[in-house]
Amino acid sequence: MRYEIFLQTIKEDLEKRLGSDYQVTLRSIPKNNGVIWDGVSICPKEEDIAPTIYLQDFYRELEGGQTLSHICDRIYQLYLKNPGLPYLDSNVLSSYQEVKDRIVYKLVNTQANSALLKKLPHIPFHDMSMVCYLLIEQREQGYVTALIHKDHLRAWKIREKDLFLTAIQNTPALLPPVIQPMSQVLKQLAQEALGDGYDEDALDSLIKAAEERRLENEPLFPTLYVLTNPAGVNGAACMAYPQVIKNFADRLGQDLLILPSSIHEVLLVTDADHYDHEDMSQMVNDINLTEVPPEDRLSNQIYRYRRKDDQITIVSHGPALSGTENR
């Protein structure tokens, strides 16, 4: 089945199930780095704001052999379990006082989002930009968020400066920084993936053996740390929090290199003279191209925090991150 026909079929199926009291609309939503996601929005006709269910993954399931009727059932059930945003209506969105405590910021790549940034309030941060969004609600599947556009500022009658002062105050409080050794993060991922089959002692043995082998082969390469927030969503922004990088560098007593893993986290490693920043940048670029979804990529550059300067600078000349219009 062609993708366009699949989208229309989902829309018609939902219209039939929900009846004339609901409005079902296909939408193409611009995401990070120029990626476009197709989705279906559903709302009662008397409401103004509708959640969107994205459909690309469902189409991949269809291509993988799943039946169309089963996919339609799942999308319908997904809507019934998440029918809307009950406390967020158009009146709330029109009031800055109602939303200001939920305004936070994230980091995106500047060049890859050049078209989108024309519509958004933003502040440059090296080869990235800070943009603001509403942290609306946390659900089992993650956060419900809404990007803040220049139109919102005009409606709220506030300055861009006021928006970012609010975001800079809110973000560390609502999404505090979390720094963990990579080994601890791997244990958490294994526990989530294995569930009842998780054996902590066995995993500890594997991690210990891997660490011993690493020290044999690369004894000068220190521990990697992951910096993110408790939700693991848009956690790369933590590198811009006041004092976070400084305090961690002071704790270790060394300068730091910052590797942009994705928009959701960055990796920290103590700096050393023998590191080739260009090789590290190429490694990040290769991982971005092969392992990181296009909408989650942040940068191909390597950043260094020097304690004596108390500054973060770019120390590589890697390829610029490119946007995409792929769906």
Side-chain angles (χ1 to χ4, degrees):
M1 177 182 289
R2 287 172 48 202
Y3 182 59
E4 293 77 11
I5 296 175
F6 168 77
L7 296 178
Q8 191 62 36
T9 301
I10 296 298
K11 177 179 183 292
E12 292 173 358
D13 179 83
L14 289 169
E15 288 174 334
K16 183 177 179 181
R17 293 177 189 248
L18 293 167
S20 59
D21 291 336
Y22 286 80
Q23 182 171 338
V24 181
T25 307
L26 292 174
R27 301 180 64 196
S28 294
I29 310 294
K31 307 298 284 188
N32 191 44
N33 296 335
V35 174
I36 304 294
W37 283 6
D38 294 309
V40 59
S41 294
I42 309 165
C43 70
K45 288 191 173 178
E46 68 273 10
E47 295 184 8
D48 298 322
I49 296 177
T52 299
I53 299 172
Y54 295 111
L55 299 175
Q56 278 95 331
D57 287 344
F58 289 107
Y59 184 68
R60 294 188 188 100
E61 291 182 14
L62 182 70
E63 291 181 312
Q66 188 58 263
T67 65
L68 183 61
S69 61
H70 179 75
I71 290 172
C72 289
D73 287 340
R74 284 182 55 208
I75 294 172
Y76 177 64
Q77 291 299 323
L78 183 61
Y79 172 72
L80 293 181
K81 291 178 182 179
N82 301 274
L85 310 175
Y87 61 84
L88 185 68
D89 57 30
S90 57
N91 291 327
V92 172
L93 279 175
S94 66
S95 169
Y96 175 66
Q97 293 302 317
E98 293 283 348
V99 300
K100 69 176 184 178
D101 292 338
R102 286 176 264 162
I103 293 174
V104 293
Y105 69 82
K106 62 181 179 179
L107 292 177
V108 301
N109 187 272
T110 299
Q111 178 168 313
N113 291 279
S114 57
L116 179 62
L117 289 174
K118 294 176 182 177
K119 305 175 185 178
L120 306 180
H122 61 278
I123 293 178
F125 185 79
H126 304 293
D127 63 326
M128 302 169 284
S129 292
M130 291 183 182
V131 298
C132 295
Y133 64 101
L134 290 177
L135 197 63
I136 298 170
E137 184 180 56
Q138 186 173 13
R139 294 183 171 178
E140 185 177 345
Q141 297 85 0
Y143 280 104
V144 179
T145 65
L147 205 56
I148 295 176
H149 288 64
K150 291 179 179 179
D151 290 344
H152 291 110
L153 270 61
R154 286 190 282 269
W156 295 337
K157 295 181 173 59
I158 64 167
R159 299 174 300 172
E160 193 167 310
K161 176 182 176 181
D162 298 323
L163 175 74
F164 279 98
L165 286 174
T166 299
I168 289 168
Q169 178 179 350
N170 288 345
T171 311
L174 295 175
L175 299 169
V178 176
I179 301 177
Q180 294 179 298
M182 177 65 81
S183 58
Q184 185 62 35
V185 175
L186 292 175
K187 287 176 66 174
Q188 292 173 354
L189 292 174
Q191 187 170 13
E192 293 172 5
L194 296 174
D196 294 339
Y198 174 72
D199 186 333
E200 185 171 3
D201 291 337
L203 188 60
D204 281 341
S205 297
L206 286 173
I207 291 175
K208 182 179 179 181
E211 180 68 7
E212 289 174 351
R213 182 163 185 172
R214 178 186 69 79
L215 290 173
E216 290 175 4
N217 296 327
E218 197 68 59
L220 296 177
F221 195 81
T223 302
L224 278 173
Y225 296 88
V226 179
L227 170 60
T228 185
N229 56 44
V233 177
N234 296 323
C238 295
M239 71 179 283
Y241 290 5
Q243 304 299 308
V244 168
I245 297 294
K246 178 185 186 304
N247 290 345
F248 188 63
D250 287 345
R251 194 177 104 193
L252 298 181
Q254 292 182 267
D255 296 343
L256 295 176
L257 294 179
I258 305 169
L259 286 66
S261 177
S262 76
I263 61 172
H264 302 303
E265 69 281 311
V266 296
L267 304 181
L268 306 177
V269 63
T270 53
D271 195 10
D273 292 336
H274 67 279
Y275 291 154
D276 188 316
H277 299 146
E278 301 305 332
D279 284 349
M280 297 178 80
S281 175
Q282 186 58 52
M283 177 189 70
V284 170
N285 178 56
D286 292 343
I287 293 173
N288 272 331
L289 292 175
T290 58
E291 304 295 333
V292 183
E295 65 273 16
D296 288 346
R297 297 169 189 169
L298 180 60
S299 175
N300 291 325
Q301 306 306 331
I302 304 298
Y303 310 87
R304 178 171 59 195
Y305 173 78
R306 295 183 64 178
R307 297 171 68 210
K308 70 175 184 178
D309 301 327
D310 189 21
Q311 283 189 340
I312 295 173
T313 58
I314 296 177
V315 291
S316 65
H317 302 85
L321 194 70
S322 298
T324 176
E325 295 301 328
N326 294 332
R327 297 189 176 186

